Amino acid sequence: MTATQDPASHTPAPARAHAIPSYLDPNNIGPYEIFLEQVERVTPYLGKLAFWVETLKRPKRILVVDIPVHLDDGSIAHFEGYRVQHNTSRGPAKGGVRFHQDVTLSEVMALSAWMTIKNAAVNLPYGGGKGGIRLDPRQYSTSELERITRRYTSEIGLIIGPDKDIPAPDVNTGPQTMAWMMDTYSMNVGRTATGVVTGKPVSLGGSLGRADATGRGVFVTGAEAMQNLGMPLEGARIAIQGFGNVGEAAARIFFEHGAKIVAIQDVTGTIHSERGIDPGAALAHLRATGKITDFPGTEEITAGDFWGVDCDVMIPAALEKQITLANADRIRAKLIVEGANGPTIPAADDLLAEKGITVVPDVLANAGGVTVSYFEWVQDFSSFFWTEDEINNRLDRIMRDAFRSLWAVKEQHGVTLRTAVYIVACTRVLEARALRGLYP
């Protein structure tokens, strides 16, 4: 029998071209193309498990929904909504829901796939999922956003659940969004189901430590990388792109440990100061004025000039595809810690490696959020809740252990840390797929 005919042998199948799914434009695949290229790059390291690698290239389930709602003025508006379950070989799907005007199916597919890798990288018992609604939340009232959220939850209710798919916050969503989702799902199933989402308010079964978890994970992995590279944390110059939940928390924790924040960029502008920026004061200024610019003691620079800031560590914590061939060559940092999902395109990743810049990839660096989401899920099931110190200590241990084991794989194979993460994560997912086999 050939390798193709004998799945039980786990022998790699011959290479062959696969058509892009009809729902994607082959001339402009979008963010999912980044994930496909990352899988192609890691395939040579998978040995016999490469037989199953096509499993990673195809989401298990895609749900596209229409979301009709009454707006405050009495009109009816329709919104596009998505929920993608990329892989559930190792457990229920897990991943956030984002509200953004540029959400596309390709983006949600990519984000769900990165969640598969992320969960496997830190060895959580989850697969990858992701959701999104295509809208600019700034254009809608709180009551309108509640109705949109509740209708979306009802529409995807067929495929989510505490043991099927557990949503969480992402871009432009937060604890209140999760409270609406939990309540809507609970009303539809006739019982309170706190475990259907994570990132909830603490009073509704949420976990202490969740708000800072992603930024804390960025700090822990960044600090570990700095130690391995011989870079002192005290006085290290940090440039942060994105000053939302992840970027602000990462900036604050680095600052508390003696690092110096020299640049912050968000949607309102970019500020720079060689003397350093107090992220707490910068956040207060942003909340008071609605913009990061005009913060005392800083100068405003262009968005493009952010990439050329003289710094030791750069943290892209905004959206995907931010570091490209157009700006990668300008980066002067020795270390990049990816707080956002998919901020670096593969070609730019290669250029950074050639320049000797170490990258802590998104699927490791920002896994703190899903790790504490896992803690929340476990606490909801047991109805026994931990202290914030217990949560932070458990999070720090998991992130440090994952980083150190993945760094060892990097050194063993002589590859980038991103490739090392994909080697370990893809191996774990495909081992589960091979052991389970195919039904029927």
Side-chain angles (χ1 to χ4, degrees):
M1 278 189 168
T2 66
T4 307
Q5 294 170 319
D6 183 14
S9 72
H10 295 180
T11 303
R16 51 184 163 179
H18 290 275
I20 297 299
S22 62
Y23 46 81
L24 294 178
D25 179 359
N27 298 314
N28 184 20
I29 298 174
Y32 198 63
E33 186 171 21
I34 297 176
F35 175 74
L36 291 176
E37 185 168 344
Q38 290 166 339
V39 171
E40 290 291 344
R41 291 181 175 210
V42 79
T43 300
Y45 298 94
L46 298 179
K48 293 182 178 180
L49 289 173
F51 178 86
W52 296 94
V53 76
E54 293 297 322
T55 300
L56 296 170
K57 298 180 183 179
R58 290 160 173 73
K60 174 181 176 64
R61 184 176 290 117
I62 296 173
L63 182 61
V64 183
V65 298
D66 175 48
I67 307 167
V69 297
H70 286 286
L71 299 182
D72 292 343
D73 63 6
S75 64
I76 296 176
H78 291 255
F79 303 91
E80 295 176 25
Y82 304 96
R83 188 68 190 177
V84 176
Q85 296 168 350
H86 175 259
N87 189 282
T88 57
S89 294
R90 302 181 72 248
K94 186 80 186 77
V97 175
R98 66 174 47 183
F99 291 178
H100 197 275
Q101 61 272 20
D102 295 327
V103 163
T104 64
L105 176 57
S106 176
E107 178 186 51
V108 179
M109 287 170 60
L111 293 167
S112 70
W114 287 322
M115 285 303 301
T116 296
I117 302 301
K118 187 183 304 183
N119 287 320
V122 293
N123 212 17
L124 300 180
Y126 289 139
K130 207 75 175 186
I133 303 176
R134 189 177 174 87
L135 86 165
D136 182 350
R138 296 171 296 182
Q139 305 301 315
Y140 300 92
S141 69
T142 299
S143 61
E144 287 171 333
L145 290 173
E146 178 178 357
R147 292 193 292 274
I148 292 167
T149 301
R150 289 184 179 276
R151 183 59 185 252
Y152 169 73
T153 305
S154 292
E155 294 293 344
I156 68 170
L158 294 169
I159 65 170
I160 65 172
D163 57 356
K164 295 195 294 186
D165 183 356
I166 307 104
D170 198 80
V171 175
N172 293 324
T173 57
Q176 180 61 75
T177 314
M178 296 303 106
W180 291 330
M181 292 189 73
M182 187 273 283
D183 182 70
T184 303
Y185 179 86
S186 296
M187 293 301 100
N188 287 338
V189 299
R191 59 182 173 81
T192 298
T194 56
V196 68
V197 297
T198 59
K200 303 179 297 296
V202 172
S203 58
L204 290 177
S207 178
L208 297 171
R210 178 62 182 85
D212 282 353
T214 307
R216 187 177 183 89
V218 168
F219 166 75
V220 170
T221 55
E224 285 289 315
M226 293 174 72
Q227 184 176 26
N228 286 2
L229 296 170
M231 299 170 60
L233 180 56
E234 183 76 29
R237 298 165 301 164
I238 315 288
I240 304 268
Q241 188 209 29
F243 204 53
N245 174 261
V246 179
E248 184 276 326
R252 172 167 33 88
I253 298 171
F254 268 105
F255 181 77
E256 289 170 352
H257 284 78
K260 183 165 64 172
I261 312 302
V262 296
I264 299 174
Q265 180 180 97
D266 74 351
V267 294
T268 66
T270 308
I271 57 173
H272 174 256
S273 172
E274 284 293 337
R275 293 173 305 209
I277 302 166
D278 182 335
L283 179 62
H285 171 80
L286 175 62
R287 288 174 173 169
T289 66
K291 59 183 181 179
I292 197 70
T293 52
D294 297 329
F295 180 61
T298 68
E299 61 172 335
E300 183 175 0
I301 60 175
T302 67
D305 284 343
F306 170 83
W307 303 105
V309 166
D310 192 8
C311 62
D312 301 303
V313 181
M314 180 168 282
I315 303 175
L319 295 172
E320 58 271 3
K321 302 178 81 169
Q322 297 298 299
I323 300 178
T324 67
L325 289 176
N327 58 26
D329 201 40
R330 299 185 63 188
I331 293 175
R332 302 165 71 180
K334 303 178 185 69
L335 174 67
I336 294 173
V337 187
E338 295 182 335
N341 291 306
T344 309
I345 69 168
D349 214 22
D350 293 340
L351 180 55
L352 295 173
E354 290 173 8
K355 293 179 63 178
I357 298 174
T358 299
V359 178
V360 181
D362 51 355
V363 286
L364 173 59
N366 67 27
V370 72
T371 301
V372 176
S373 280
Y374 168 61
F375 297 165
E376 179 178 335
W377 184 69
V378 169
Q379 292 171 89
D380 285 339
F381 272 113
S382 65
S383 296
F384 182 83
F385 292 85
W386 309 335
T387 67
E388 188 163 2
D389 283 344
E390 288 176 315
I391 288 162
N392 287 339
N393 288 336
R394 291 172 190 260
L395 170 62
D396 291 354
R397 185 177 67 251
I398 287 175
M399 296 299 292
R400 286 196 183 101
D401 288 350
F403 180 92
R404 291 169 183 174
S405 64
L406 293 165
W407 188 275
V409 174
K410 165 191 178 296
E411 297 292 293
Q412 175 190 348
H413 290 282
V415 295
T416 65
L417 189 54
R418 191 188 309 278
T419 299
V421 172
Y422 273 77
I423 290 171
V424 172
C426 291
T427 296
R428 286 174 175 164
V429 173
L430 296 182
E431 279 180 344
R433 175 72 280 167
L435 288 167
R436 291 180 61 164
L438 296 179
Y439 174 84

